[in-house]
Amino acid sequence: MDRVSNLPDELLCHVLSFLPTKSAALTSVLSKRWFNLWKLVPNLDINDSLFLHPQDGKGERQEIQRSFVDFVDRVLAMQGDSPINNFSLKCITGRVHPDIVNRWICNVLKRGVSDLSLYTHFAKDLDDYLYRLPKEMFVKLSLRNERCVDWYFRDMGSSLPMLKSLDINSDTIVCGEFEKFITSFPMLEELEMGTMKWEDFNVTVSSANLRSLSLHGSGIEGWDDFENPKSFSFDAPNLLFLNYSELVPEDYPVVNMGKLLEAHINLMVTDEQMKRVREPNHDLLEGDDEVLQFSNVVKLVNGTRNVQRLTLTSDTLEVLSQCCDSMPVFNNLKFLSVTSEEGRGWQAMPALLRNCPHLETIIIQGLLHYVTDECGDVCPCISREGKGRSLKSCPVKRLEIQGFRGTMKEINMIKHFLDYFSCLNRLDVFVEDNDPTQLKNDQVSDLVIEMFELYSKLWPSCNVQLLVSDYLDAKWTAQGHI
């Protein structure tokens, strides 16, 4: 007998638990020692595409469809009532009936499954292809569907009183009135939902148990197809993590997230909205409720003022330009990450940096941005008095710049940061191979390397590093630059 076969059953079952169930079952032919081991594995990973091979057209043959159903039935029967921890089921070929899927789910529920991952796609020619989950209890549930997850059915309810983690991802998610949806899960601690289609325009997230919340509105793609909520409230006093992506509503009436430690905020806006916001003295804003609503975003920002880690997109930075005078102080903030785009401005950056008295790390994804008179002293794009004042007051020690392209504008901005971030002791500048960059040009790369070598000498107290892709690293090494 080989050494592997001599290992204890528990260890071999643990190894088999990392394999798809079909592969684990194949080990039964190795020897008598392995014949029953796979039946004891507490994790099941079943994927109908491994059986039906839709790319070959075999999934249309009824005998092959039946073989997959028989295999799963046989696996569950062989395991009997043995406990099960994780059950991952992918029925994505559209050839398995929802009633059969529910039969399998009920089987593992009775055996105490705590983590269920379900990825479904049901064909329209099947009876009742609108899939309804069984009412039995879950602890952790992950749903994937290529079309639509319509959770809320008024005729049957949707309560899962023991559910602690819910992750739904689909092209469209519909759940009825969101406040009632949340109350269906009194024990829920983690909620992640992508591509929401809001049916109520005054959305309220109210939960005392919720610890982690990720909500992504349908405005990410196809803004013309969906309306954004009129108001959005967060009443989650014990929430620790927030990932919120949505078109800007008119108001945030309630924002109660006093224990929040980390927030990722993406407030999406259109180019037309940005144009109106940037008008000199806001001449076009009189009576423009759609743009004036941006000032209410300060309520959301105030609700995140206790965070230790904050991530903001380029759209969010532009929206925050309407809140500069009322920007809260982030006394606990130590980590700030911002995304920058050439079509979005940095008007909010001076106020933001002035109000982070204990900031230690900044990550900037892209330095190029839309230049306005209100960028303040954070960048050197426009000559002004009081140069670098906001940077001098910021105690940041580490600065990371991602997506460096090798332009002189970026090089000047990096020098500006080195000049005025008085506590800076580490600067990492990353170049990615797939980013549009001038550094593949030998003359440009020579100049950039010389500038960074000069910066290292001029600011010896700061560890300045230019970190490049494998392609550029090999090229520069061959040329003797590294």
Side-chain angles (χ1 to χ4, degrees), residues 193-201 203 214-221 223 226-232 234 243-250 252 264-270 273 293-294 297 300 313 315-316 319:
M193 303 178 77
T195 324
M196 292 296 301
K197 181 180 180 182
W198 304 108
E199 291 193 338
D200 52 335
F201 295 113
V203 178
S214 295
L215 289 178
H216 300 269
S218 52
I220 295 175
E221 292 181 0
W223 287 352
F226 301 97
E227 292 188 47
N228 60 310
K230 299 294 183 183
S231 69
F232 217 111
F234 296 92
N243 189 342
Y244 171 63
S245 180
E246 184 55 88
L247 296 168
V248 183
E250 293 179 5
Y252 292 93
H264 299 246
I265 300 176
N266 178 25
L267 300 175
M268 295 174 286
V269 291
T270 65
Q273 287 174 320
Q293 71 196 37
F294 289 178
V297 170
L300 175 64
T313 63
D315 274 9
T316 306
V319 172

Side-chain angles (χ1 to χ4, degrees), residues 285-315:
L285 297 185
E286 186 175 354
D288 192 341
D289 293 336
E290 184 180 27
V291 177
L292 290 176
Q293 71 196 37
F294 289 178
S295 60
N296 286 325
V297 170
V298 72
K299 299 178 183 179
L300 175 64
V301 178
N302 273 319
T304 65
R305 65 184 180 277
N306 293 327
V307 297
Q308 297 178 10
R309 298 173 66 90
L310 180 62
T311 298
L312 304 173
T313 63
S314 55
D315 274 9

Side-chain angles (χ1 to χ4, degrees), residues 261-264 304 307-312 330-338 352-353 356 358-365 396-400 402:
L261 297 178
E262 181 172 354
H264 299 246
T304 65
V307 297
Q308 297 178 10
R309 298 173 66 90
L310 180 62
T311 298
L312 304 173
F330 294 87
N331 278 312
N332 300 327
L333 191 67
K334 295 185 177 181
F335 175 94
L336 174 65
S337 176
V338 297
L352 186 60
L353 293 181
C356 300
H358 301 106
L359 189 62
E360 296 178 357
T361 300
I362 300 177
I363 294 179
I364 304 177
Q365 299 179 48
V396 66
K397 298 177 181 179
R398 177 175 179 259
L399 174 62
E400 179 178 309
Q402 299 177 359

Side-chain angles (χ1 to χ4, degrees), residues 11 31 65 115 152 159 175 237 239 269 300 315 330 430 453:
L11 183 56
S31 67
Q65 297 172 22
D115 190 340
Y152 184 72
S159 178
C175 61
L239 193 68
V269 291
L300 175 64
D315 274 9
F330 294 87
F430 287 86
E453 289 174 348

Side-chain angles (χ1 to χ4, degrees), residues 454-467:
L454 177 61
Y455 290 166
S456 296
K457 294 176 181 178
L458 293 177
W459 287 275
S461 61
C462 182
N463 182 15
V464 180
Q465 294 190 83
L466 179 62
L467 304 167

